[in-house]
């Protein structure tokens, strides 16, 4: 009878351990990387004489059969197999017998997981770069139509100077371009093969690391095995890169949320990408940009999570490292859907140019132009010009007229040196187009910027 309870106890304890210890329910996402890694390793072992031709053929056929089983949903993922590496190897051995038991020669799960996860991250770097380029293209389509649409340029969320809407969007193009460069540079730095590092110290078997690196599409092999099996910088980099990209997406989203309010009324998101309220029938809510803003927080969480997992680890591999995957998978999936939905939301959004331009008529957006006029035309030092302009603004506030619409007599009452050519200077479109310095908002300059990004995308 005592066996009964001890049997029960050990069974329940081990299933708890299985559940706690296993990564198979999520690392199975890496099945292609894992099997391709095994195929490359087997081919190399055969070339080195560790496997004979028949063993290699059996292993290759078995692994290809397993890919089919996984893709058709037939493969049985069992929690007691712990991770995908063991699950696949066990299945291989059950399919082909002894030859399957030789596959792990000169290899450890430590270099195996490093290969799989690194290749997954490299693949996702490339996918995200592609999606970012498509998003940039869509931003350019919108921007191209609005190189002459004025919008209040702001600092401190206060009206500052008139800019054009395309110029505003080109700021985001700059951010997305930097994001792409960041993903690309991470991919370049981390394109090194861990295979052949084995558990931590290398292996006495005659492995050819360059051969497997080449088959798997890595640029080169890693230099130090102890580092390689415990290095997760590539995962941290993609998390940081996604975090930064999401921060940019979140800033744009915040603007889309504001712009869709009645107070701004600058854009209207399409019905397809808006939601309603369960109680207030009139509502049209910008859930898409709000969620993009919200999901950014979750991605930061994954970055902080992995940084924290890594910070106290002695060399080399520690099981803590298994915690690297879920946050990365989640962040990558969040990034992919976010890029796609933001692109669609922009594509279908209505830009209300009229409201943008009307908003420019308040807040004395051409005040800097009056100061610049006093400097350029009246030879007044800028500090003094700033003061005179301040008085003109105060006058405008008092008589409830925007500086851009004030008449000459009112202006000359403030300073008699002001000539009648000032009227043109204070015009809002003039103000916008006066900013012709490199990178400025003048329509011609903005068009140049859009050309720059188009050329960049053409590669
Ligand atoms: N499932 C493990 C992980 O994801 C694979 C490596 C296990 N290595 C080990 N020595 N227990 O990190």
């Amino acid at each position: 009878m005592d066996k009964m309870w001890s049997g029960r106890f050990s069974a329940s304890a081990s299933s708890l351990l299985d559940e706690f210890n296993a990564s198979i329910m999520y690392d199975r996402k890496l099945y292609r990387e894992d099997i391709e890694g095994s195929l490359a390793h087997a081919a190399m072992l055969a070339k080195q004489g560790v496997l004979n031709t028949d063993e290699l053929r059996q292993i290759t056929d078995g692994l290809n059969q397993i890919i089919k089983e996984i893709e058709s949903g037939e493969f049985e993922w069992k929690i007691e197999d712990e991770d995908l590496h063991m699950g696949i190897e066990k299945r291989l051995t059950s399919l082909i017998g002894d030859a399957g038991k030789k596959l792990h020669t000169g290899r450890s799960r430590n270099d195996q997981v490093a290969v799989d996860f690194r290749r997954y991250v490299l693949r996702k770097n490339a996918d995200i770069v592609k999606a970012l380029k498509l998003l940039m293209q869509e931003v350019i389509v919108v921007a191209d139509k609005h190189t002459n649409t004025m919008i209040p340029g702001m600092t401190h969320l206060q009206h500052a100077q008139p800019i054009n809407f395309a110029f505003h969007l080109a700021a985001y193009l700059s951010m997305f371009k930097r994001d792409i460069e960041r993903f690309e540079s991470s991919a370049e730095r981390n394109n090194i093969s861990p295979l052949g590092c084995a558990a931590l110290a290398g292996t006495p078997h005659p492995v050819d690391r360059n051969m497997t690196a080449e088959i798997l599409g890595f640029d080169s092999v890693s230099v130090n095995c102890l580092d390689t099996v415990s290095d997760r910088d590539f995962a941290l980099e993609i998390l940081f890169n996604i975090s930064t990209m999401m921060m940019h997406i979140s800033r744009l989203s915040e603007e889309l949320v504001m712009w869709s309010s009645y107070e701004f009324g600058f854009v209207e998101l399409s019905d397809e990408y808006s939601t309603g309220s369960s109680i207030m029938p009139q509502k049209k809510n910008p859930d898409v940009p709000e969620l993009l803003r919200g999901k950014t927080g979750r991605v930061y969480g994954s970055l902080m999570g992995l940084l924290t997992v890594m910070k106290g680890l002695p060399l080399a591999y520690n099981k803590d490292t298994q915690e690297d995957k879920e946050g990365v998978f989640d962040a990558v999936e969040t990034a992919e859907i976010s890029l796609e939905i933001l692109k669609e939301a922009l594509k279908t959004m209505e830009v209300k140019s009229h409201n943008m331009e009307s908003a420019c008529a308040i807040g004395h957006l051409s005040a800097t132009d009056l100061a610049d006029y006093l400097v350029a035309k009246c030879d007044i030092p800028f500090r003094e010009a700033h003061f005179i302009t301040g008085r003109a603004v105060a006058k405008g506030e008092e008589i409830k007229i925007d500086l851009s619409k004030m008449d000459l007599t009112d202006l000359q009452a403030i300073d008699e040196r002001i000539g009648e050519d000032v009227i043109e200077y204070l015009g809002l479109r003039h103000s916008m187009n006066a900013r012709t310095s490199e990178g400025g908002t003048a329509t011609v300059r903005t068009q140049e910027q859009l050309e720059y990004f188009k050329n960049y995308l053409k590669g």
Side-chain angles (χ1 to χ4, degrees):
M1 289 306 280
D2 59 337
K3 273 191 175 161
M4 268 186 77
W5 76 254
S6 66
R8 248 174 80 101
F9 185 85
S10 76
S12 84
S14 77
S15 71
L16 185 60
L17 175 71
D18 282 348
E19 195 185 322
F20 186 65
N21 196 32
S23 54
I24 197 162
M25 295 334 267
Y26 53 85
D27 66 16
R28 52 195 263 192
K29 213 184 269 298
L30 303 173
Y31 79 90
R32 268 211 166 261
E33 282 82 6
D34 195 72
I35 292 177
E36 284 166 6
S38 291
L39 287 167
H41 185 64
M44 180 279 293
L45 290 178
K47 193 206 82 181
Q48 300 298 86
V50 178
L51 296 175
N52 65 37
T53 330
D54 189 47
E55 288 163 336
L56 174 63
R57 190 192 43 76
Q58 289 182 54
I59 290 174
T60 309
D61 291 351
L63 288 171
N64 285 326
Q65 156 83 16
I66 292 172
I67 293 192
K68 282 196 204 117
E69 290 177 3
I70 293 173
E71 292 184 344
S72 68
E74 258 172 76
F75 191 88
E76 249 192 284
W77 297 101
K78 297 192 208 109
I79 209 140
E80 59 274 22
D81 288 343
E82 193 182 321
D83 55 29
L84 92 155
H85 321 295
M86 298 214 286
I88 290 173
E89 193 184 317
K90 223 171 111 191
R91 176 69 187 138
L92 181 67
T93 305
S94 86
L95 282 171
I96 66 168
D98 282 351
K101 294 184 189 161
K102 292 192 173 180
L103 175 62
H104 214 49
T105 315
R107 176 176 89 163
S108 150
R109 277 186 297 155
N110 296 352
D111 58 344
Q112 198 177 349
V113 73
V115 169
D116 296 0
F117 198 31
R118 196 177 277 264
R119 288 185 70 228
Y120 165 85
V121 166
L122 288 171
R123 174 158 66 85
K124 289 303 172 181
N125 265 316
D127 289 350
I128 293 173
V129 163
K130 245 184 251 156
L132 266 165
K133 287 184 175 171
L134 292 177
L135 173 64
M136 284 181 75
Q137 254 147 17
E138 202 47 60
V139 175
I140 290 174
V141 170
V142 181
D144 260 336
K145 296 182 199 138
H146 295 284
T147 53
N148 198 23
T149 304
M150 282 191 302
I151 181 173
M154 297 190 181
T155 62
H156 313 268
L157 202 62
Q158 304 288 321
H159 283 207
Q161 291 173 351
I163 60 176
N164 75 65
F165 186 46
F167 177 71
H168 194 113
L169 292 175
Y172 287 102
L173 291 172
S174 306
M175 295 179 222
F176 296 142
K177 175 172 175 278
R178 284 198 298 277
D179 291 333
I180 291 175
E181 289 162 354
R182 228 175 266 114
F183 284 107
E184 286 176 340
S185 102
S186 290
E188 206 182 309
R189 182 172 29 262
N190 292 306
N191 201 334
I192 49 174
S193 175
L195 199 54
C197 280
L200 72 163
T203 169
H205 295 287
V207 294
D208 180 347
R209 296 191 60 200
N210 286 305
M211 175 179 169
T212 47
E214 202 184 316
I215 298 175
L216 294 173
F218 286 112
D219 288 344
S220 59
V221 301
S222 68
V223 171
N224 175 283
C225 293
L226 196 61
D227 169 50
T228 309
V229 290
S230 67
D231 168 24
R232 292 296 180 273
D233 293 2
F234 61 94
L236 287 167
E237 283 189 39
I238 198 168
L239 286 172
F240 175 77
N241 296 342
I242 293 174
S243 294
T244 306
M245 177 193 89
M246 288 301 293
M247 178 269 290
H248 295 148
I249 288 178
S250 182
R251 292 184 70 179
L252 176 54
S253 297
E254 166 63 10
E255 302 210 287
L256 291 172
V257 170
M258 284 193 302
W259 290 345
S260 350
S261 68
Y262 280 116
E263 284 71 18
F264 277 83
F266 287 0
V267 299
E268 183 169 342
L269 297 174
S270 69
D271 285 3
E272 270 175 288
Y273 293 100
S274 300
T275 52
S277 154
S278 60
I279 176 170
M280 297 167 283
Q282 85 284 13
K283 292 295 292 291
K284 183 168 176 187
N285 295 329
D287 286 27
V288 167
E290 288 172 277
L291 265 175
L292 289 168
R293 206 173 52 185
K295 284 177 187 290
T296 303
R298 182 163 132 190
V299 169
Y300 292 179
S302 297
L303 171 62
M304 289 318 296
L306 185 55
L307 279 169
T308 312
V309 164
M310 296 306 294
K311 73 180 262 296
L313 300 187
L315 289 170
Y317 179 83
N318 300 268
K319 192 68 178 237
D320 314 45
T321 316
Q322 180 166 284
E323 289 296 311
D324 57 1
K325 289 172 208 61
E326 286 163 293
V328 170
F329 291 156
D330 185 71
V332 162
E333 280 153 29
T334 302
E336 289 183 323
I337 192 164
S338 297
L339 288 165
E340 174 75 13
I341 202 158
L342 176 58
K343 174 172 67 80
E344 293 306 311
L346 292 174
K347 187 191 273 178
T348 54
M349 156 186 101
E350 183 195 345
V351 176
K352 298 176 159 177
S353 318
H354 177 74
N355 292 349
M356 289 178 172
E357 300 224 330
S358 312
C360 294
I362 41 175
H364 313 287
L365 285 174
S366 51
T368 316
D369 300 81
L370 177 55
D372 290 340
Y373 169 88
L374 294 169
V375 169
K377 296 280 173 157
C378 311
D379 201 23
I380 297 174
F382 182 79
R383 241 342 114 214
E384 196 185 328
H386 186 289
F387 183 78
I388 297 166
T389 306
R391 283 176 43 231
V393 167
K395 176 78 184 168
E397 287 287 297
E398 185 194 319
I399 60 174
K400 307 244 172 308
I401 292 183
D402 189 80
L403 195 62
S404 62
K405 302 259 166 53
M406 250 156 97
D407 58 32
L408 192 59
T409 18
D410 283 329
L411 290 164
Q412 282 175 335
I414 287 155
D415 197 298
E416 62 198 9
R417 286 169 291 183
I418 296 175
E420 60 184 276
D421 54 346
V422 78
I423 298 303
E424 187 199 338
Y425 269 75
L426 295 185
L428 293 170
R429 206 166 296 278
H430 181 277
S431 163
M432 176 180 91
N433 282 321
R435 284 170 172 70
T436 52
S437 59
E438 217 171 306
T441 191
T443 294
V444 280
R445 286 305 199 179
T446 302
Q447 282 161 342
E448 270 172 26
Q449 291 163 36
L450 296 182
E451 272 319 297
Y452 169 84
F453 291 114
K454 284 178 204 171
N455 286 331
Y456 168 71
L457 290 176
K458 270 188 225 145

